[in-house]
């Protein structure tokens, strides 16, 4: 008697358990974009690290310009020029001003900046027609970040702003979680490299490039092995040759897992540690996962060969597992709710992941294409997946749906 299909949640847990816990490594800041910080980053310097001017203008003693106005400007000797980056800034003597640029070090004795628009812009003498209060247009040392502050906590994803902050506090390297190395392999003697002429019965190989791109999008490092023939010994030998060099966290295959003949992945891995199951979902019912002792115990996840099944299976099972391995705080796709724009039916007992287009303004989602698992064109035109629960068969217009946002 056939066993009951595995639930989506149970198979997600099986796949997640195969991958190791996050491991930290030091990387140059220039290579840290998109990585997850593995430890708190502490500021080695304050921000700003010194009092500096927030405007182009003149550094003054506020008390000395208190009476200046447009009708009664005051004139001062410009005793020094202070461009940004000057380190030998002289102190401000009483009765004088210093011309100063944005970001330049405030001279000792000055307590305000008169912006250049309130002056005649003189270089040797200047007429000032504004009376700023003490502290005007002065950036104080440490007003943004104090030395010793935790500026970025562990677990944050390093984007442009975070990398800028890390650089500003002097971090040349940062501790981040290691990127998983994924060996991507699609099988099938019918596969041909794109750009080559096709013979009858042949197709261009798309799953490998697609899954490799998906791995990279999830932060992993993809290695693509292509055009392994439907031969069990050659299949295992190809994997053994690569895995024995080490450094592979996951073997990800597509195709060769169904119930028919010539299913090389299933034939090669059956009895070697990979469990092949049916998952109660569509597309993507046939799945496999496990560890193969003959390949050094490396984790293996096998996906179905139809391209939409393969890509949806990656989204449901593999992508979140790869992100968790990297310590990502949000391993799952963002989920919103929307109302269904047209009526649908769905088979009982299988969770459906339907390709859709979300109208964020109207708050509606509509299916694109059909549920057929070979129609990659509709997958490429979709920007979301909307989820139909296993126990739902009729979906009238206006049904509230969970929608996974997958647009890059």
């Amino acid at each position: 008697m056939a066993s009951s299909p595995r639930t989506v949640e149970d198979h997600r847990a099986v796949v997640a358990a195969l991958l190791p816990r996050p491991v930290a490594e030091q990387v140059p800041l220039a290579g840290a974009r998109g990585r997850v910080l593995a430890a708190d980053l502490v500021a080695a310097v304050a921000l700003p690290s010194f009092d500096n001017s927030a405007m182009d203008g003149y550094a003054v003693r506020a008390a000395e310009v208190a009476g200046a106005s447009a009708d009664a400007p005051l004139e001062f000797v410009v005793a020094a020029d202070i461009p940004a980056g000057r380190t030998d800034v002289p102190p401000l003597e009483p009765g004088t001003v210093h011309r100063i640029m944005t970001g330049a070090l405030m001279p000792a004795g000055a307590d305000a900046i008169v912006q250049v628009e309130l002056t005649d812009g003189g270089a040797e003498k200047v007429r000032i027609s504004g009376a700023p209060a003490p502290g005007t247009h002065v950036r104080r040392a440490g007003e943004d970040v104090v030395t010793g502050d935790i500026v970025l906590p562990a677990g944050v994803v390093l984007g442009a702003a975070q990398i800028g902050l890390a650089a500003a506090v002097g971090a040349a390297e940062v501790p981040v979680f290691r990127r998983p190395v994924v060996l991507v392999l699609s099988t099938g003697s019918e596969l041909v490299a794109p750009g080559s002429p096709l013979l009858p019965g042949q197709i261009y190989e798309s799953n490998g490039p697609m899954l490799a791109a998906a791995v990279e999008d999830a932060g992993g490092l993809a290695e693509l092995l292509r055009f392994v023939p439907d031969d069990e010994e050659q299949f295992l030998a190809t994997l053994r040759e690569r895995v024995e060099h080490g450094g592979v966290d996951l073997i990800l295959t597509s195709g060769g897992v169904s119930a028919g003949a010539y299913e090389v992945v299933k034939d090669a891995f059956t009895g070697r540690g990979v469990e092949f199951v049916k998952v109660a979902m569509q597309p993507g019912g046939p799945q496999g996962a496990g560890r193969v002792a003959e390949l050094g115990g490396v984790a293996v996840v096998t996906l179905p060969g139809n391209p939409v099944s393969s890509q949806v299976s990656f989204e449901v099972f593999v992508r979140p597992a790869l992100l968790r391995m990297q310590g990502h705080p949000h391993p799952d796709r963002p989920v919103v709710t929307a109302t269904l724009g047209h009526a649908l039916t769905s088979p009982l007992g299988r969770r459906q992941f339907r390709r859709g287009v979300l109208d964020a303004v109207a708050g509606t989602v509509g299916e694109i294409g059909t549920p057929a698992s070979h129609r990659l064109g509709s997958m490429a035109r979709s920007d979301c997946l909307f989820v139909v629960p296993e126990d739902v068969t009729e979906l009238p217009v206006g049904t509230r749906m969970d929608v996974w946002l997958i647009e890059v």
Side-chain angles (χ1 to χ4, degrees):
M1 181 176 178
S3 60
S4 299
R6 180 178 283 174
T7 67
V8 171
E9 288 75 17
D10 284 349
H11 196 65
R12 277 169 64 99
V14 168
V15 172
L18 290 174
L19 294 178
R21 295 176 63 84
V23 175
E25 62 180 1
Q26 288 284 127
V27 302
L29 189 59
R33 182 180 63 83
R35 307 287 290 275
V36 179
L37 196 64
D40 294 343
L41 181 64
V42 176
V45 297
L47 293 180
S49 58
F50 52 86
D51 291 352
N52 68 87
S53 175
M55 301 286 286
D56 291 341
Y58 295 83
V60 303
R61 296 173 185 269
E64 293 183 346
V65 298
S69 68
D71 295 330
L74 299 177
E75 187 172 82
F76 292 85
V77 171
V78 179
D81 261 346
I82 312 174
R86 181 174 177 179
T87 59
D88 59 339
V89 174
L92 181 65
E93 299 296 336
T96 68
V97 299
H98 288 177
R99 190 166 65 164
I100 193 168
M101 302 300 121
T102 302
L105 176 67
M106 285 289 291
D111 62 359
I113 300 295
V114 178
Q115 65 199 73
V116 70
E117 291 84 357
L118 297 178
T119 75
D120 64 0
E124 296 181 358
K125 290 185 178 181
V126 64
R127 292 169 64 85
I128 292 177
S129 56
T136 300
H137 302 315
V138 177
R139 300 167 177 160
R140 295 299 182 189
E143 69 178 27
D144 185 14
V145 170
V146 175
T147 302
D149 278 354
I150 296 174
V151 291
L152 293 171
V156 72
V157 180
L158 298 173
Q162 292 76 28
I163 287 174
L165 178 57
V169 298
E173 295 185 338
V174 287
V176 295
F177 290 116
R178 183 176 63 81
R179 299 176 68 185
V181 176
V182 182
L183 196 62
V184 178
L185 175 64
S186 53
T187 63
S189 298
E190 75 279 13
L191 302 178
V192 176
S196 304
L198 289 176
L199 297 176
Q202 293 182 329
I203 60 173
Y204 290 124
E205 198 263 328
S206 60
N207 283 6
M210 177 178 67
L211 292 174
V215 167
E216 295 280 342
D217 180 59
L221 295 168
E223 294 184 20
L224 180 57
L225 290 180
R226 307 180 79 173
F227 315 122
V228 178
D230 287 336
D231 180 88
E232 182 179 336
E233 290 304 317
Q234 289 189 38
F235 174 79
L236 289 171
T238 299
L239 292 179
R240 193 177 297 113
E241 181 180 0
R242 171 58 187 89
V243 170
E244 68 183 8
H245 296 297
V248 175
D249 296 295
L250 173 66
I251 294 174
L252 182 64
T253 71
S254 64
V257 296
S258 296
Y262 305 109
E263 301 294 344
V264 64
V265 174
K266 196 169 189 178
D267 293 342
F269 286 150
T270 294
R272 289 185 166 95
V274 176
E275 182 183 12
F276 293 92
V277 298
K278 289 285 187 181
V279 176
M281 64 182 285
Q282 187 182 36
Q287 303 284 339
R291 295 187 179 277
V292 178
E294 293 179 31
L295 299 176
V298 68
V300 173
V301 172
T302 69
L303 306 180
N306 277 321
V308 175
S309 297
S310 191
Q311 182 63 14
V312 169
S313 298
F314 182 92
E315 287 287 335
V316 176
F317 303 118
V318 184
R319 187 177 191 276
L322 293 178
L323 288 170
R324 286 190 181 92
M325 182 183 163
Q326 298 166 82
H328 203 286
H330 306 294
D332 294 318
R333 290 288 193 183
V335 177
V336 299
T337 57
T339 57
L340 191 60
H342 50 85
L344 291 175
T345 60
S346 182
L348 182 65
R350 284 181 286 177
R351 187 177 308 179
Q352 290 226 318
F353 294 87
R354 309 281 277 260
R355 288 145 277 174
V357 174
L358 178 68
D359 185 334
V361 175
T364 61
V365 64
E367 186 172 31
I368 184 168
T370 74
S373 59
H374 66 289
R375 295 198 173 188
L376 188 56
S378 57
M379 187 77 196
R381 294 191 298 274
S382 66
D383 60 17
C384 64
L385 296 172
F386 62 93
V387 184
V388 183
E390 294 89 332
D391 58 350
V392 174
T393 58
E394 301 288 337
L395 297 97
V397 174
T399 302
R400 298 291 288 173
M401 309 296 301
D402 283 342
V403 179
W404 294 19
L405 306 181
I406 61 170
E407 186 177 28
V408 176

